[in-house]
């Protein structure tokens, strides 16, 4: 019972034995307002937000990574690469949803205040990482499975200590798992009679355990799949596609500091006001959104963080009468939502 009532803080990157008890309110929120899932998966939520951005007059550029940002007076010179071409553009302000450390250490490297922010971030506690295995099966398993399943391993406190404060800087032999089976709620996410899943295991970030995940990852995934066969009989025989995301993937593909999965850990002294602020106090015109700023990780936290960031921008640029982004999009977003248990 203690395990069941405490693991939720792991879903925002915190060690249940160190994270503020205020995060147990997640249980109350879920019991009171339910757990919601977008029909079509998270991709449908992204598409709805992109559609809303266009309706509000925004421009979306894909495959145009930002290389650096230089503050020149009251403007930000943003350098991007697209199709092999380098482009420098000036903007009044920047909203960064990149990893916090990446924002300051790389994008704003050389800007006054960025080095101090980088050093402060490197002294903070960071969330663990994740090993995530996405897989599809030629069997549904829907009748025997819930949308969300938590599978506890043989240890709890000891495993968490090995993940957040490893004594030997190595990957623990055991694991606890979260299994997501969205086709149970939304059959359109898998071909008829088939299943779509991901399973994740909390693991140490690369600063705590510099594991060679390119070598270790596939075998680690095999062990996880073998352990799931007590829930999903003959699982390995029915897998038709699989793909993994490791801490190295978080670091290389997402620019996550030390391969973290949830940014700054939600300890008491790194929660609420003590998190990096939505408006940077040292670099004029820099605003933050995402898991690293207030209020924190998770889709609800990030969406509400974006509303808080917008409030800062609206105040600074005289846009107080403009509708909040999330409020403007609520009707269209809610049409595609379903409850998931």
């Amino acid at each position: 019972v203690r395990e069941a009532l405490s693991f939720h803080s792991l879903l925002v990157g915190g060690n249940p034995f160190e994270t503020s008890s205020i995060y147990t309110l997640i249980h109350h929120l879920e019991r009171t307002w339910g757990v919601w899932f977008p029909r079509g998966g998270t991709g449908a939520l992204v598409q709805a937000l992109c559609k809303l951005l266009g309706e509000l007059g925004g421009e979306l550029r894909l495959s145009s990574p930002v290389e650096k940002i230089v503050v020149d007076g009251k403007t930000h010179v943003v350098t991007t690469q697209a199709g092999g071409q380098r482009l420098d553009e000036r903007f009044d302000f920047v909203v960064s949803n990149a990893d916090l450390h990446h924002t300051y250490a790389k994008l704003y490297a050389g800007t006054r205040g960025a080095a101090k922010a980088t050093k402060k971030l490197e002294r903070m506690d960071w969330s663990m990482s994740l090993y995530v295995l996405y897989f599809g099966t030629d069997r549904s398993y829907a009748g025997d499975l819930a949308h969300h399943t938590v599978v506890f391993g043989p240890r709890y406190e000891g495993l968490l200590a090995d993940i957040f404060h490893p004594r030997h800087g190595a990957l623990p032999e055991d694991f606890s798992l979260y299994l997501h089976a969205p086709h149970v709620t939304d059959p359109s996410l898998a071909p008829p009679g088939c299943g779509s899943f991901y399973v994740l295991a909390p693991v140490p970030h690369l600063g705590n355990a510099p594991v060679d995940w390119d070598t270790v990852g596939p075998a680690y995934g095999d062990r996880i799949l073998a352990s799931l066969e007590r829930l999903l009989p003959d699982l390995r025989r029915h897998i038709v596609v699989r793909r993994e995301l490791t801490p190295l993937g978080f670091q290389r593909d997402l620019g996550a500091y030390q391969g973290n999965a949830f940014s700054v850990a939600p300890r008491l002294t790194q929660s609420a006001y003590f998190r990096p602020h939505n408006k940077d106090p040292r670099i004029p015109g820099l605003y933050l959104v995402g898991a690293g700023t207030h209020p924190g990780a998770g889709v609800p936290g990030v969406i509400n963080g974006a509303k808080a960031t917008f409030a800062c921008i609206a105040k600074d640029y005289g846009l107080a009468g403009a509708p909040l982004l999330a409020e403007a999009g609520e009707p269209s977003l809610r049409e595609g939502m379903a409850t998931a248990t």
Side-chain angles (χ1 to χ4, degrees):
V1 171
R2 291 170 65 193
E3 292 178 7
L5 294 178
S6 67
F7 80 91
H8 278 65
S9 59
L10 277 167
L11 304 182
V12 291
N15 183 344
F17 289 88
E18 298 175 348
T19 300
S20 170
S21 61
I22 195 170
Y23 289 97
T24 58
L25 284 173
I26 295 174
H27 294 280
H28 172 69
L29 296 174
E30 291 183 349
R31 295 294 296 173
T32 303
W33 288 286
V35 178
W36 295 84
F37 176 78
R39 293 193 182 278
T42 304
L45 178 61
V46 173
Q47 291 169 8
L49 290 171
C50 291
K51 179 173 181 263
L52 175 60
L53 175 67
E55 293 172 351
L56 293 174
E59 178 186 353
L60 178 65
R61 302 179 189 175
L62 302 178
S63 300
S64 303
V66 177
E67 287 194 340
K68 67 176 182 177
I69 305 173
V70 176
V71 179
D72 181 15
K74 293 185 178 180
T75 62
H76 294 240
V77 182
V78 179
T79 301
T80 59
Q81 285 280 357
Q85 293 185 339
R86 177 172 170 161
L87 181 64
D88 292 334
E89 295 179 279
R90 290 180 174 269
F91 297 93
D92 295 327
F93 61 88
V94 167
V95 181
S96 176
N97 78 327
D99 175 85
L100 286 173
H101 189 272
H102 180 83
T103 296
Y104 290 105
K106 182 174 181 181
L107 299 185
Y108 279 92
T111 299
R112 184 178 180 181
K116 187 173 182 178
T118 300
K119 291 180 180 178
K120 182 178 180 181
L121 287 168
E122 291 175 354
R123 292 193 301 267
M124 299 180 79
D125 291 322
W126 288 76
S127 77
M128 78 287 185
S129 190
L130 297 173
Y131 174 87
V132 189
L133 184 65
Y134 303 87
F135 60 95
T137 60
D138 59 10
R139 175 180 169 181
S140 171
Y141 293 102
D144 305 318
L145 197 64
H147 187 127
H148 306 281
T149 303
V150 176
V151 184
F152 290 105
R155 298 185 302 151
Y156 190 57
E157 184 173 7
L159 175 62
L160 292 171
D162 287 346
I163 290 172
F164 287 89
H165 308 288
R167 290 166 292 178
H168 307 294
L171 185 65
E173 288 296 320
D174 55 331
F175 40 72
S176 288
L177 306 172
Y178 163 68
L179 178 65
H180 186 225
H183 68 285
V184 172
T185 299
D186 183 0
S188 72
L189 292 176
C194 298
S196 60
F197 302 83
Y198 74 72
V199 59
L200 64 81
V203 296
H205 62 60
L206 296 173
N208 282 338
V211 176
D212 181 3
W213 281 100
D214 286 338
T215 301
V216 172
Y220 192 71
D222 290 341
R223 288 175 51 211
I224 288 175
L225 292 174
S227 74
L228 287 175
E229 291 197 335
R230 59 193 172 104
L231 294 175
L232 307 171
D234 299 320
L235 172 61
R236 287 171 290 178
R237 187 163 60 87
H238 290 284
I239 290 178
V240 294
V241 62
R242 61 184 275 184
R243 180 171 65 88
E244 66 179 14
L245 175 62
T246 73
L248 274 179
F250 279 98
Q251 181 185 64
R252 289 187 304 214
D253 302 334
L254 304 178
Y257 180 58
Q258 297 178 331
N260 78 85
F262 298 94
S263 193
V264 175
R267 303 186 68 161
L268 179 61
T269 54
Q270 296 181 174
S271 295
Y273 179 83
F274 301 110
R275 292 184 79 73
H277 292 189
N278 305 74
K279 175 183 176 180
D280 185 271
R282 301 182 185 88
I283 303 176
L286 172 60
Y287 301 85
L288 303 173
V289 292
T293 188
H294 175 74
V299 173
V302 168
I303 293 295
N304 280 286
K307 293 174 69 174
T309 301
F310 178 82
C312 295
I313 297 171
K315 180 180 178 181
D316 291 346
Y317 290 87
L319 304 173
L324 289 177
L325 179 90
E327 293 175 349
E330 273 184 3
S332 60
L333 291 179
R334 276 189 170 274
E335 289 176 2
M337 302 298 279
T339 55
T341 56

